[in-house]
């Protein structure tokens, strides 16, 4: 099915005459008739009944017209948007993000966005995953960058990629030479982890339980920076995103398996709210930075 099929169908539905419809869309009557027949064949149903030179719309035709018009309106609006002259966006945008994203990901997104729209002002709040979802539902922030919430009520979650969490240790740690670690091997391993109220901790606890492992949680911290600082100067390990230690020569990331802890980062929107041009521009930037992160992750040589 192509756009011309929909345009021809809408014209014929409106005119109820092959002659008038063909004049409206600037094709011959035989071409119009052939294209309508193609559309009916693809849909598997008749849209018009033909009696001599007269036509009438079938029940299926009346049902399909609303969708055809809506599709054409969306396409036409998209074409107008792309054809419009580029304009600098101004104003403010409030974004909530978890600590993991605020370390590297969000600063990269803000920098990229302001290169294109220097008049834009972004207010970024660091929140827990639950806090991002709650403030978004309450209308206190415009967008969120977080992991998939447990309750997506009133929210739309757009996944960016699936993220494998890794074991992070100091370069002098006894496990630093390992290429992989099974979750069962973390039994009684001294670790620093987020509090049990955090979604990430709940994912990890389920993985530990599945592997029959009980690590020795010597400390709980609610932000990643002090956790990594503690790991650098001790024999304690942590589990987090490999993204947050990229380029840190003092730390080593080791893949985990059996099972591999997984998280899904994404963009959060309020259900039913139309994204503003600024929100669409930031979302586009976030997708581009996420794609770049994925390419860089896949391009790294295995340990």
């Amino acid at each position: 099915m192509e756009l011309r099929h929909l345009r021809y169908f809408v014209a014929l539905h409106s005119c109820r005459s092959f002659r008038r419809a063909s004049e409206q869309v600037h094709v011959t009557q035989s071409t119009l008739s052939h294209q309508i027949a193609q559309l009916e064949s693809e849909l598997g149903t008749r849209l018009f009944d033909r009696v001599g030179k007269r036509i009438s719309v079938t029940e299926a035709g009346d049902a399909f017209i609303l969708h055809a018009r809506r599709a054409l309106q969306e396409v036409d609006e998209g074409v107008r948007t792309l054809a419009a002259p580029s304009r600098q966006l101004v104003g403010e945008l409030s974004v909530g993000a978890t600590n993991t994203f605020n370390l590297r990901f969000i600063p990269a997104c803000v920098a990229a966005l302001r290169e294109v729209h220097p008049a834009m002002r972004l207010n970024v709040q660091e929140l827990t995953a639950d806090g991002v979802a709650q403030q978004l539902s309450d209308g206190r922030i415009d967008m969120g960058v977080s992991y998939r919430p447990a309750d997506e009520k009133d929210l739309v979650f757009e996944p960016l990629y699936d993220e494998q969490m890794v074991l992070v240790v100091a370069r002098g740690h006894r496990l630093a030479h390992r290429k992989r670690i099974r979750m069962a091997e973390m039994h009684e391993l001294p670790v620093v982890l987020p509090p049990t109220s955090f979604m990430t901790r709940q994912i990890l606890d389920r993985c530990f339980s599945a592997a029959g492992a009980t690590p020795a949680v010597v400390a709980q911290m609610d932000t990643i920076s002090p956790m990594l600082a503690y790991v650098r100067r001790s024999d304690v390990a942590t589990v987090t995103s490999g993204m947050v230690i990229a380029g840190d020569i003092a730390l080593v990331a080791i893949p985990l398996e059996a099972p591999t802890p997984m998280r899904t980062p994404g963009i959060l929107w309020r259900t039913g709210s139309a994204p503003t041009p600024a929100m669409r521009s930031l979302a586009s930037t976030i997708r581009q930075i996420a794609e770049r992160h994925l390419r860089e992750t896949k391009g790294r040589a295995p340990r």
Side-chain angles (χ1 to χ4, degrees), residues 164-169 175-183 185-186 238-240 242 245 252-261 301-303:
Q164 296 185 9
M165 300 175 70
V166 295
L167 183 71
V168 176
V169 297
L175 296 175
H177 68 285
R178 294 285 297 277
K179 292 186 177 180
R180 292 188 174 276
I181 297 287
R182 294 173 63 84
M183 290 293 285
E185 295 179 76
M186 291 189 63
T238 192
V239 180
T240 187
I245 69 160
V252 176
I254 310 168
L256 290 163
E257 61 184 16
T260 298
R303 285 174 43 86

Side-chain angles (χ1 to χ4, degrees), residues 206 226 258 269:
R206 288 195 292 270
W269 317 77

Side-chain angles (χ1 to χ4, degrees), residues 89-145:
L89 296 176
V90 297
E92 293 189 14
L93 197 59
S94 181
V95 181
T98 58
N99 176 254
T100 300
F101 292 107
N102 269 347
L103 288 176
R104 296 175 183 269
F105 188 83
I106 291 297
C109 293
V110 173
L113 180 69
R114 294 202 73 254
E115 281 185 7
V116 182
H117 303 292
M120 276 293 301
R121 178 178 174 182
L122 279 86
N123 299 317
V124 180
Q125 297 184 49
E126 185 168 300
L127 304 165
T128 65
D130 288 342
V132 171
Q134 187 61 57
Q135 292 213 20
L136 193 55
S137 294
D138 293 345
R140 285 180 284 173
I141 57 176
D142 300 307
M143 295 171 61
V145 181

Side-chain angles (χ1 to χ4, degrees), residues 68 84 281 284 288-289:
S281 185
S284 177
Q288 292 170 18
I289 300 296

Side-chain angles (χ1 to χ4, degrees), residues 100 147 162-168 180-181 183 193-194 199-204 207 224 227 238-243 253-257 259-264:
T100 300
Y147 296 101
D162 290 327
E163 175 184 74
Q164 296 185 9
M165 300 175 70
V166 295
L167 183 71
V168 176
R180 292 188 174 276
I181 297 287
M183 290 293 285
L193 296 175
M199 188 181 305
T200 294
R201 176 63 181 276
Q202 294 165 17
I203 293 172
L204 292 175
C207 289
I224 193 67
M227 291 170 62
T238 192
V239 180
T240 187
S241 163
M243 173 177 65
I254 310 168
L256 290 163
E257 61 184 16
T260 298
M262 301 286 292
R263 297 185 295 190
T264 304

Side-chain angles (χ1 to χ4, degrees), residues 23-179:
E23 291 173 352
Q24 180 175 313
V25 295
H26 308 292
V27 296
T28 65
Q29 292 187 46
S30 60
T31 297
L32 178 61
S33 178
H34 179 67
Q35 294 293 313
I36 293 296
Q38 280 187 343
L39 178 60
E40 290 177 324
S41 176
E42 186 165 344
L43 293 175
T45 187
R46 295 186 66 82
L47 302 173
F48 301 97
D49 284 327
R50 301 157 178 82
V51 181
K53 294 184 179 181
R54 297 177 55 193
I55 65 167
S56 60
V57 183
T58 66
E59 185 176 343
D62 276 332
F64 188 58
I65 189 63
L66 297 176
H67 302 284
R69 283 175 175 157
R70 188 180 305 128
L72 290 174
Q73 287 170 358
E74 290 290 335
V75 171
D76 290 342
E77 179 63 28
V79 171
R80 285 192 293 271
T81 299
L82 294 178
S86 177
R87 292 178 299 172
Q88 292 290 324
L89 296 176
V90 297
E92 293 189 14
L93 197 59
S94 181
V95 181
T98 58
N99 176 254
T100 300
F101 292 107
N102 269 347
L103 288 176
R104 296 175 183 269
F105 188 83
I106 291 297
C109 293
V110 173
L113 180 69
R114 294 202 73 254
E115 281 185 7
V116 182
H117 303 292
M120 276 293 301
R121 178 178 174 182
L122 279 86
N123 299 317
V124 180
Q125 297 184 49
E126 185 168 300
L127 304 165
T128 65
D130 288 342
V132 171
Q134 187 61 57
Q135 292 213 20
L136 193 55
S137 294
D138 293 345
R140 285 180 284 173
I141 57 176
D142 300 307
M143 295 171 61
V145 181
S146 181
Y147 296 101
R148 184 185 294 277
D151 183 4
E152 296 182 35
K153 183 181 178 182
D154 301 327
L155 301 175
V156 176
F157 180 75
E158 177 188 331
L160 293 171
Y161 54 88
D162 290 327
E163 175 184 74
Q164 296 185 9
M165 300 175 70
V166 295
L167 183 71
V168 176
V169 297
R171 194 157 291 279
H173 194 280
R174 64 181 178 83
L175 296 175
H177 68 285
R178 294 285 297 277
K179 292 186 177 180

Side-chain angles (χ1 to χ4, degrees), residues 6-27:
L6 298 182
R7 296 196 189 281
Y8 295 163
F9 165 66
V10 170
L12 187 57
H13 187 281
S14 175
C15 296
R16 309 295 172 97
S17 162
F18 276 99
R19 180 181 60 80
R20 291 196 299 272
S22 64
E23 291 173 352
Q24 180 175 313
V25 295
H26 308 292
V27 296

